[in-house]
Amino acid sequence: MKILVLGSGGREHALVWKLAQSAHTTQLWCAPGNAGTSLERLQNGSMVQNIPIGAEDLPSLLKFADEHKPDLTVVGPDNPLALGVVDLFQSRGLRIWGPNKKAAQFESSKVFSQNFMEKYGIPTAKAGTFNDASSAKNFAHELDGRCAVKADGLALGKGVLICHTFEESNRAIDEILLQKSFGEAGSSIVIQELLEGPEISLHAICDGQTAKLFPTSQDHKRALDNDQGLNTGGMGAYSPTPFLTEAQLAETGRAILGPWLKGCAAEGIDFRGLLYPGIMLTKTGPKILEFNARFGDPETQVYLMRLQTDLVELLDASAEGALHKIELRWNPNPAVCVVMASGGYPGNYPKGLPITMPPSIPPNTKIFHAGTASKNNQIVTNGGRVLGVTALGTDLASARQNAYDLTAQIKFEGAHYRKDIAVKALTGPQPR
Ligand code: AMP
């Protein structure tokens, strides 16, 4: 099977790495990819090829696909989904994995998602949706100013403002609705009550009829240890988390996916792709903060280290409506991913700095590239999140140790990474 992967981050390197391991894959392209994707080799010996087309350049992607006829295109990031890449490819008879534009609204519109959750009884925060500032402020006052104010549309993960007082909620509402700091993405907002508890990521692969739940994972959004510093795309992840037992996970899955599938059927939404709800485990049960409509990054890196099912067969079944035939099999060993970021990230950072890699990579570990490029045969930094150093272990503590041992051997100027990935999951603080 000839496969085209869209995207250039750590998630896409993990997807490419796993797809390359499948005997079904005969040719693999990544548009645009990174220095890591082009180092992957297929089972038939050929190398993955990077294609210099951005994941949002739909006309050029379509032209490439028309010429090279991939048997399946796999969409990594949210933007091309929201732009309708799936609908476009399908209209040209090209097979593509990911939700169509209507289904991708679960991520591209928080107002749509919130209304859907309320309509179909999916557990979520108490919330309201608004497009005028004064009724939004009244609602925020009812919550004593303790709320999350969210821009409706995609805002590079920055469109959520957490407030604890009236002053903060008034300012947040003005900022999004009146000053339009997130542009058109902020012409409507969702205001949710502030929830408390551990936050986890769920992933479910869907085919329009069936949804199959992955094990739990947890991301680390803030830049610094102990959840300090600015929000980032994600500084590390691990799977599974100890916060839900298998039975609780199955129950949570039923409570969310049962009404979600019913709602999709009622609304004529044919969701074939990955549904990724962000969940807070509150004292009164799990509540959804938001839906994403694609694989998480860096959750994908830990999931794909653990996944034993052939990824080509899995994505193909998801696109075909045949997931009921597929069994999800997981390595029982936990995985940990530590993200190494450029100095300055999530603010401004330099690019083009040489990266020194370890002389050898131990088994059951993998350095996934994110913001990297190849320059004169040297791998250099090319983004904020640079590498996702990922390891399996016989238990979480050893997975963590393996990931950090490898991370410590990688060098580039200004590199920073959190030292506390997965610490919350282990009993007692384990500073390194
Ligand atoms: P979202 O993009 O909606 O997941 O929000 C980004 C981050 O804001 C989440 O990962 C949470 O840490 C935080 N957040 C969002 N909604 C809430 C809420 N209702 N209560 C508390 N924290 C929230």
Side-chain angles (χ1 to χ4, degrees):
M1 225 168 157
K2 296 185 286 179
I3 301 179
L4 167 65
V5 174
L6 307 187
S8 62
R11 165 184 49 216
E12 287 75 22
H13 186 191
L15 287 166
V16 161
W17 170 76
K18 192 74 185 168
L19 292 166
Q21 289 168 27
S22 169
H24 297 291
T25 310
T26 54
Q27 189 161 13
L28 189 48
W29 301 280
C30 192
N34 57 39
T37 54
S38 62
L39 293 176
E40 298 299 338
R41 189 185 290 278
L42 310 192
Q43 297 298 299
N44 65 10
S46 58
M47 300 300 291
V48 174
Q49 224 182 314
N50 282 352
I51 307 297
I53 303 175
E56 292 164 31
D57 182 355
L58 269 41
S60 304
L61 290 170
L62 188 62
K63 186 160 173 280
F64 179 86
D66 270 339
E67 275 168 24
H68 295 85
K69 301 272 181 286
D71 300 298
L72 185 67
T73 296
V74 174
V75 190
D78 49 0
N79 270 345
L81 295 171
L83 291 170
V85 70
V86 170
D87 313 60
L88 181 67
F89 271 47
Q90 284 173 345
S91 73
R92 299 287 273 262
L94 292 159
R95 289 184 72 236
I96 183 163
W97 177 82
N100 59 28
K101 195 171 181 175
K102 183 173 180 186
Q105 281 183 101
F106 281 107
E107 177 156 9
S108 64
S109 169
K110 288 186 190 289
V111 169
F112 168 85
S113 267
Q114 194 67 42
N115 290 337
F116 185 96
M117 287 193 278
E118 279 162 26
K119 186 166 174 191
Y120 293 101
I122 298 171
T124 181
K126 180 179 174 192
T129 61
F130 306 92
N131 46 28
D132 82 286
S134 77
S135 41
K137 286 177 185 171
N138 287 341
F139 183 75
H141 277 224
E142 284 171 29
L143 299 171
D144 294 331
R146 294 178 50 75
C147 59
V149 181
K150 306 186 176 190
D152 175 46
L154 298 178
L156 299 171
K158 293 182 180 153
V160 175
L161 304 176
I162 303 294
C163 310
H164 296 91
T165 62
F166 300 141
E167 290 73 26
E168 284 176 3
S169 60
N170 283 347
R171 210 178 314 130
I173 291 164
D174 285 345
E175 201 180 318
I176 301 182
L177 276 181
L178 302 181
Q179 289 143 26
K180 294 248 179 267
S181 352
F182 303 108
E184 275 313 297
S187 46
S188 315
I189 56 172
V190 172
I191 300 182
Q192 289 178 338
E193 67 176 322
L194 218 49
L195 297 176
E196 280 174 16
E199 205 176 323
I200 61 164
S201 302
L202 292 188
H203 278 52
I205 185 137
C206 312
D207 70 357
Q209 305 279 328
T210 303
K212 292 207 167 188
L213 205 54
F214 286 15
T216 53
S217 66
Q218 189 175 47
D219 186 8
H220 296 65
K221 281 281 171 208
R222 300 292 197 94
L224 307 174
D225 285 7
N226 300 316
D227 295 329
Q228 303 294 306
L230 297 172
N231 252 327
T232 69
M235 293 297 288
Y238 65 96
S239 169
T241 73
F243 305 116
L244 284 184
T245 62
E246 289 279 322
Q248 287 168 325
L249 172 63
E251 176 49 38
T252 305
R254 271 193 296 277
I256 294 168
L257 297 174
W260 179 78
L261 282 168
K262 252 188 218 151
C264 284
E267 304 285 332
I269 296 168
D270 187 10
F271 193 107
R272 296 174 191 229
L274 203 292
L275 185 75
Y276 151 24
I279 295 197
M280 207 159 255
L281 301 173
T282 73
K283 288 201 178 94
T284 55
K287 305 241 163 91
I288 296 189
L289 302 177
E290 62 155 1
F291 280 119
N292 301 290
R294 35 85 198 168
F295 274 103
D297 186 346
E299 290 94 329
T300 307
Q301 289 84 317
V302 288
Y303 279 134
L304 297 189
M305 281 294 272
R306 296 189 61 210
L307 183 70
Q308 291 172 331
T309 308
D310 183 301
L311 186 61
V312 174
E313 290 176 15
L314 183 62
L315 300 186
D316 199 54
S318 164
E320 279 304 303
L323 268 183
H324 58 281
K325 295 186 193 155
I326 296 274
E327 187 201 352
L328 283 179
R329 284 176 288 108
W330 300 97
N331 186 331
N333 290 336
V336 171
C337 170
V338 176
V339 170
M340 294 186 81
S342 292
Y345 175 79
N348 294 332
Y349 51 82
K351 286 185 183 178
L353 302 173
I355 304 172
T356 309
M357 290 291 189
S360 65
I361 313 287
N364 294 320
T365 61
K366 177 72 189 171
I367 301 171
F368 291 115
H369 291 223
T372 67
S374 245
K375 205 166 125 191
N376 307 325
N377 285 327
Q378 162 77 52
I379 295 173
V380 298
T381 64
N382 193 40
R385 292 189 294 168
V386 178
L387 300 167
V389 186
T390 310
L392 289 163
T394 46
D395 56 21
L396 197 57
S398 64
R400 190 172 176 273
Q401 190 68 47
N402 295 341
Y404 276 111
D405 284 349
L406 188 56
T407 305
Q409 296 178 54
I410 304 171
K411 308 281 177 216
F412 56 89
E413 198 188 315
H416 73 93
Y417 57 90
R418 278 179 63 158
K419 312 292 187 295
D420 66 342
I421 303 303
V423 159
K424 278 193 222 113
L426 298 165
T427 42
Q430 305 220 342
R432 285 180 58 93

